[in-house]
Amino acid sequence: AQSVTQLDSQVPVFEEAPVELRCNYSSSVSVYLFWYVQYPNQGLQLLLKYLSGSTLVKGINGFEAEFNKSQTSFHLRKPSVHISDTAEYFCAVTFKAAGNKLTFGGGTRVLVKP
Amino acid sequence: SQTIHQWPATLVQPVGSPLSLECTVEGTSNPNLYWYRQAAGRGLQLLFYSVGIGQISSEVPQNLSASRPQDRQFILSSKKLLLSDSGFYLCAFGTGKAVGTDTQYFGPGTRLTVL
């Protein structure tokens, strides 16, 4: 079965430090890749997406992600975090064979400390 | 611009009572529509999706049902709620028509507590 794995359930990080959230997926077939952020008691907001083209994708709020097909990974990075980046982050993948349905990872909770 | 609304924002219901959650989309026609549930401390589970009026696909057999009476309206229902139905319910829409081309945009969610 197709799956998405976020290796870290929680990531504590100090303000202004860099952060990397890891995401791996199970299949090497054609995929579209997404990162979403969820602030407490809110819906999910799209941070960035990879559909095709350059493997380095830039999103909102200073985030970027790199698609690595050989490693089936799509890690999210930010060079300097703010307190306001405290939230839960979800990696999601559309496996083309599964139509338009998204498969989500389990989420990574980021806690930015002052 | 495209927007998505959900209501109510929060709901507390007794076990055995009925449920109706509503989702509406503005600014686009014939969207793909999705219902997800997010249980406490867990990821998102796709419950239903719809590619058109009256067309509903169920992903997980359960106590819930969905309907799409109008192009941009998606309703999640239950005849009798269970304790296990508690959670955060998210509606999403997408506009991609070719396979695998959907980018999904989420509503603000409904927090359901069944007591």
XYZ file of all heavy atoms in Angstrom, chain A residues 32 34 36 38 41-46 49 51 88 90 94-102 104-107 109, chain B residues 32 34 36 38 41-44 46 49 59 88 90 96-109 111:
452
model
N 2.639 13.720 -6.979
C 2.623 15.142 -6.671
C 2.781 15.263 -5.162
O 2.246 14.443 -4.423
C 1.320 15.807 -7.123
C 1.129 15.819 -8.622
C -0.088 15.430 -9.175
C 2.138 16.234 -9.464
C -0.284 15.452 -10.543
C 1.958 16.259 -10.835
C 0.746 15.861 -11.374
O 0.555 15.875 -12.735
N 3.052 17.683 -1.468
C 2.522 18.867 -0.813
C 2.999 18.923 0.641
O 3.206 17.890 1.279
C 0.984 18.848 -0.805
C 0.357 18.658 -2.159
C 0.208 17.390 -2.694
C -0.085 19.748 -2.879
C -0.370 17.200 -3.940
C -0.670 19.573 -4.127
C -0.810 18.298 -4.664
N 1.544 20.971 4.104
C 0.515 21.820 4.703
C 0.921 22.156 6.132
O 1.612 21.376 6.796
C -0.835 21.088 4.762
C -1.525 20.901 3.433
C -1.266 19.791 2.640
C -2.472 21.825 2.997
C -1.919 19.611 1.434
C -3.132 21.650 1.783
C -2.850 20.540 1.015
O -3.506 20.370 -0.179
N -0.810 23.381 9.924
C -2.055 23.509 10.688
C -1.759 24.197 12.009
O -1.036 23.641 12.853
C -2.688 22.140 10.933
C -4.042 22.223 11.607
C -4.682 20.858 11.828
O -4.000 19.860 12.020
N -5.997 20.810 11.768
N -6.476 24.405 16.212
C -7.915 24.561 15.982
C -8.247 25.259 14.663
O -9.274 25.939 14.556
C -8.568 25.312 17.151
C -8.498 24.510 18.429
O -8.856 23.338 18.455
N -8.005 25.123 19.491
N -7.390 25.080 13.687
C -7.653 25.652 12.373
C -7.548 24.576 11.304
O -7.088 23.453 11.566
C -6.661 26.784 12.067
C -6.806 27.992 12.965
C -5.907 29.125 12.531
O -5.549 29.262 11.360
N -5.537 29.977 13.479
N -7.976 24.924 10.108
C -7.814 24.016 8.984
C -6.380 23.982 8.503
O -5.491 24.590 9.105
N -6.146 23.252 7.419
C -4.804 23.138 6.864
C -4.574 24.219 5.814
O -5.451 24.494 4.988
C -4.611 21.763 6.210
C -4.199 20.628 7.139
C -5.323 20.254 8.070
C -3.758 19.420 6.324
N -3.383 24.802 5.853
C -3.009 25.833 4.887
C -1.887 25.290 4.021
O -0.904 24.741 4.530
C -2.558 27.100 5.615
C -2.150 28.241 4.708
C -1.685 29.457 5.482
O -1.565 29.435 6.700
N -1.425 30.542 4.774
N -2.016 25.436 2.717
C -0.991 24.942 1.807
C 0.267 25.795 1.919
O 0.216 27.012 1.755
C -1.525 24.976 0.370
C -0.592 24.459 -0.714
C -0.366 22.949 -0.553
C -1.165 24.750 -2.098
N 3.962 23.154 -2.977
C 3.659 21.922 -3.688
C 4.673 21.709 -4.794
O 5.244 22.654 -5.336
C 2.247 21.969 -4.270
C 2.023 23.093 -5.272
C 0.571 23.112 -5.743
C 0.333 24.278 -6.690
N -1.096 24.367 -7.127
N 4.703 19.802 -8.433
C 3.965 19.101 -9.479
C 4.911 18.636 -10.576
O 4.790 17.519 -11.093
C 2.875 20.002 -10.064
C 1.854 20.563 -9.059
C 0.806 21.410 -9.770
C 1.182 19.451 -8.270
N 1.604 22.377 13.509
C 1.810 21.013 13.039
C 1.914 21.041 11.520
O 1.147 21.747 10.843
C 0.668 20.088 13.478
C 0.954 18.619 13.174
C 0.240 17.668 14.109
O -0.774 18.079 14.710
O 0.679 16.512 14.222
N 2.136 18.860 7.887
C 1.765 17.608 7.260
C 2.323 17.529 5.850
O 2.151 18.452 5.046
C 0.243 17.461 7.185
C -0.418 17.261 8.507
C -0.929 18.331 9.222
C -0.536 15.987 9.045
C -1.536 18.148 10.456
C -1.147 15.790 10.279
C -1.641 16.871 10.985
N 0.023 12.788 -3.620
C -0.935 12.185 -4.539
C -0.182 11.176 -5.377
O 0.740 11.532 -6.105
C -1.568 13.239 -5.455
O -2.278 14.171 -4.658
C -2.512 12.591 -6.438
N -0.563 9.927 -5.249
C -0.005 8.890 -6.097
C -0.911 8.801 -7.317
O -2.094 8.525 -7.187
C 0.039 7.552 -5.355
C 0.911 7.571 -4.135
C 0.368 7.826 -2.886
C 2.271 7.334 -4.233
C 1.158 7.855 -1.747
C 3.076 7.352 -3.105
C 2.527 7.607 -1.863
N -0.382 9.043 -8.484
C -1.235 9.180 -9.662
C -2.133 7.977 -9.870
O -3.248 8.099 -10.338
C -0.389 9.441 -10.897
C 0.161 10.852 -10.961
C 0.808 11.108 -12.296
C 1.315 12.547 -12.378
N 1.956 12.828 -13.681
N -1.654 6.809 -9.509
C -2.485 5.626 -9.686
C -3.712 5.652 -8.787
O -4.642 4.883 -8.984
C -1.667 4.367 -9.404
N -3.694 6.519 -7.772
C -4.807 6.596 -6.828
C -5.725 7.760 -7.139
O -6.479 8.189 -6.268
C -4.269 6.706 -5.404
N -5.676 8.280 -8.355
C -6.551 9.386 -8.708
C -6.126 10.666 -8.025
O -4.953 10.970 -7.922
N -7.097 11.432 -7.578
C -6.802 12.725 -6.966
C -6.755 12.660 -5.450
O -6.788 13.686 -4.786
C -7.849 13.749 -7.392
C -7.587 14.255 -8.803
O -6.458 14.271 -9.252
N -8.631 14.635 -9.496
N -6.641 11.491 -4.873
C -6.699 11.372 -3.426
C -5.328 11.596 -2.803
O -4.334 11.044 -3.241
C -7.236 9.996 -3.037
C -8.717 9.825 -3.385
C -9.217 8.454 -3.023
C -8.740 7.431 -4.019
N -9.278 6.090 -3.737
N -5.343 12.413 -1.756
C -4.120 12.693 -1.021
C -3.896 11.645 0.059
O -4.833 11.256 0.749
C -4.211 14.051 -0.336
C -3.865 15.309 -1.117
C -4.133 16.533 -0.260
C -2.435 15.278 -1.581
N -1.785 11.373 3.512
C -1.091 12.241 4.454
C -0.127 11.459 5.331
O -0.374 10.303 5.694
C -2.099 12.943 5.368
C -2.793 14.102 4.723
C -3.936 13.918 3.972
C -2.294 15.378 4.873
C -4.577 14.985 3.374
C -2.925 16.471 4.277
C -4.073 16.262 3.525
N 0.962 12.121 5.687
C 1.806 11.613 6.744
C 1.161 11.882 8.095
O 0.128 12.543 8.184
N 1.788 11.367 9.143
C 1.210 11.488 10.474
C 1.367 12.853 11.114
O 0.795 13.108 12.177
N 2.147 13.734 10.487
C 2.318 15.080 11.013
C 3.562 15.215 11.877
O 4.006 14.251 12.524
N 4.946 17.940 14.777
C 4.623 19.116 15.595
C 5.906 19.881 15.850
O 6.859 19.344 16.435
C 3.988 18.682 16.906
C 3.336 19.814 17.675
C 2.579 19.266 18.886
N 1.507 18.356 18.479
C 0.292 18.728 18.107
N -0.018 20.018 18.092
N -0.611 17.838 17.780
N -13.871 19.226 -7.082
C -13.829 17.972 -6.335
C -13.963 18.350 -4.861
O -13.358 19.316 -4.403
C -12.501 17.249 -6.566
C -12.285 16.905 -8.017
O -13.213 16.505 -8.726
N -11.066 17.075 -8.488
N -14.093 16.982 -0.668
C -13.561 15.941 0.211
C -13.993 16.204 1.655
O -14.050 17.342 2.108
C -12.031 15.926 0.173
C -11.430 15.804 -1.209
C -11.255 16.927 -2.017
C -11.028 14.563 -1.706
C -10.708 16.820 -3.276
C -10.469 14.449 -2.970
C -10.317 15.575 -3.744
O -9.769 15.466 -5.000
N -12.624 14.968 5.467
C -11.607 14.287 6.238
C -11.990 14.339 7.718
O -12.674 15.250 8.173
C -10.245 14.982 6.102
C -9.590 14.869 4.761
C -9.876 15.773 3.737
C -8.643 13.873 4.513
C -9.258 15.680 2.504
C -8.015 13.773 3.293
C -8.325 14.686 2.294
O -7.697 14.590 1.080
N -9.964 14.189 11.524
C -8.691 14.218 12.234
C -9.008 13.907 13.690
O -9.547 14.746 14.410
C -8.033 15.577 12.085
C -6.637 15.664 12.629
C -6.020 17.027 12.362
O -6.713 18.026 12.247
N -4.708 17.084 12.267
N -4.600 13.663 18.145
C -3.259 13.095 18.092
C -2.992 12.208 16.892
O -1.989 11.498 16.859
N -3.854 12.282 15.903
C -3.681 11.424 14.728
C -3.697 12.255 13.461
O -4.043 13.428 13.469
C -4.780 10.364 14.699
C -4.792 9.495 15.939
C -5.899 8.477 15.891
N -5.691 7.489 14.830
C -6.531 6.480 14.615
N -7.602 6.334 15.350
N -6.292 5.626 13.641
N -3.330 11.656 12.381
C -3.312 12.330 11.091
C -4.697 12.437 10.488
O -5.706 12.217 11.152
N -4.737 12.767 9.231
C -6.010 12.957 8.538
C -6.447 11.685 7.831
O -5.658 11.042 7.144
C -5.886 14.075 7.510
C -5.913 15.483 8.080
C -4.538 15.910 8.519
C -6.468 16.452 7.061
N -9.202 10.311 5.093
C -10.193 10.652 4.088
C -11.446 9.817 4.309
O -11.374 8.589 4.382
C -9.629 10.406 2.680
C -10.575 10.673 1.517
C -10.970 12.142 1.459
C -9.939 10.239 0.203
N -15.276 11.456 -0.878
C -14.966 12.458 -1.882
C -16.019 12.418 -2.964
O -16.729 11.414 -3.132
C -13.557 12.309 -2.445
C -13.320 11.087 -3.303
C -13.435 11.145 -4.692
C -12.943 9.885 -2.728
C -13.202 10.040 -5.471
C -12.705 8.768 -3.501
C -12.831 8.846 -4.863
O -12.600 7.734 -5.638
N -14.538 6.128 1.485
C -13.231 5.515 1.663
C -13.187 4.540 2.825
O -12.411 3.593 2.813
C -12.171 6.612 1.891
C -11.843 7.392 0.644
C -11.196 6.506 -0.406
O -10.093 6.007 -0.184
O -11.824 6.305 -1.478
N -12.084 16.254 14.645
C -12.059 17.514 13.904
C -12.322 17.169 12.448
O -11.573 16.408 11.830
C -10.679 18.159 14.094
C -10.580 19.588 13.653
C -11.537 20.514 14.021
C -9.508 20.021 12.898
C -11.441 21.842 13.639
C -9.391 21.358 12.504
C -10.360 22.264 12.885
N -12.754 18.113 8.562
C -12.271 19.093 7.595
C -12.851 18.808 6.222
O -12.835 17.665 5.763
C -10.749 19.053 7.518
C -10.020 19.569 8.760
C -8.612 19.029 8.816
C -9.997 21.089 8.756
N -8.535 20.216 -9.857
C -7.869 19.419 -10.877
C -8.783 18.355 -11.446
O -9.436 17.639 -10.694
N -8.837 18.231 -12.749
C -9.705 17.235 -13.367
C -8.946 16.021 -13.881
O -9.459 14.910 -13.893
C -10.503 17.878 -14.512
C -11.489 18.926 -14.009
C -12.386 18.364 -12.931
C -13.240 19.439 -12.296
N -13.989 18.939 -11.139
N -7.719 16.224 -14.333
C -6.916 15.077 -14.754
C -6.438 14.335 -13.516
O -6.239 14.929 -12.449
C -5.727 15.563 -15.579
N -6.222 13.045 -13.686
C -5.838 12.213 -12.551
C -4.573 12.738 -11.904
O -3.579 13.007 -12.571
C -5.616 10.757 -13.024
C -4.956 9.929 -11.933
C -6.946 10.137 -13.418
N -4.632 12.887 -10.585
C -3.459 13.293 -9.812
C -3.124 14.747 -9.872
O -2.071 15.155 -9.384
N -3.996 15.586 -10.415
C -3.642 17.003 -10.578
C -4.300 17.916 -9.553
O -4.158 19.125 -9.621
C -4.024 17.501 -11.978
O -5.451 17.406 -12.126
C -3.325 16.716 -13.052
N -5.022 17.345 -8.617
C -5.731 18.179 -7.643
C -4.786 18.786 -6.624
O -3.958 18.087 -6.043
C -6.740 17.312 -6.889
C -8.131 17.894 -6.924
O -8.355 18.851 -7.673
O -8.993 17.381 -6.189
N -4.931 20.085 -6.384
C -4.362 20.709 -5.201
C -5.538 20.972 -4.283
O -6.488 21.648 -4.679
C -3.645 22.023 -5.532
O -2.536 21.752 -6.391
C -3.136 22.693 -4.266
N -5.503 20.442 -3.075
C -6.648 20.548 -2.187
C -6.492 21.726 -1.227
O -5.430 21.928 -0.639
C -6.836 19.250 -1.407
C -7.234 18.094 -2.324
C -7.536 16.822 -1.581
O -7.899 16.833 -0.401
N -7.374 15.692 -2.267
N -7.584 22.462 -1.070
C -7.640 23.618 -0.179
C -8.682 23.328 0.887
O -9.804 22.928 0.573
C -7.976 24.884 -0.963
C -6.939 25.196 -2.011
C -7.093 24.736 -3.313
C -5.796 25.917 -1.695
C -6.130 24.997 -4.285
C -4.828 26.185 -2.659
C -4.999 25.716 -3.947
O -4.052 25.974 -4.889
N -8.293 23.584 2.135
C -9.095 23.143 3.258
C -9.902 24.267 3.893
O -9.484 25.429 3.922
C -8.194 22.516 4.327
C -7.683 21.160 3.940
C -6.634 21.019 3.042
C -8.264 20.008 4.458
C -6.176 19.767 2.669
C -7.805 18.741 4.095
C -6.764 18.630 3.203
N -11.065 23.867 4.439
C -11.874 24.782 5.211
C -11.363 24.889 6.637
O -10.387 24.227 7.014
N -12.029 25.703 7.461
C -11.568 25.949 8.834
C -11.853 24.801 9.794
O -11.314 24.779 10.897
C -12.330 27.203 9.244
C -13.552 27.173 8.413
C -13.160 26.565 7.113
N -12.709 23.873 9.412
C -12.950 22.701 10.247
C -14.113 22.848 11.210
O -14.525 23.957 11.563
N -15.149 21.166 14.979
C -14.758 20.322 16.109
C -16.015 19.688 16.683
O -16.881 20.379 17.206
C -14.034 21.148 17.172
C -13.807 20.399 18.457
C -12.406 19.990 18.790
N -11.284 20.652 18.175
C -10.254 20.001 17.668
N -10.234 18.696 17.696
N -9.244 20.653 17.136
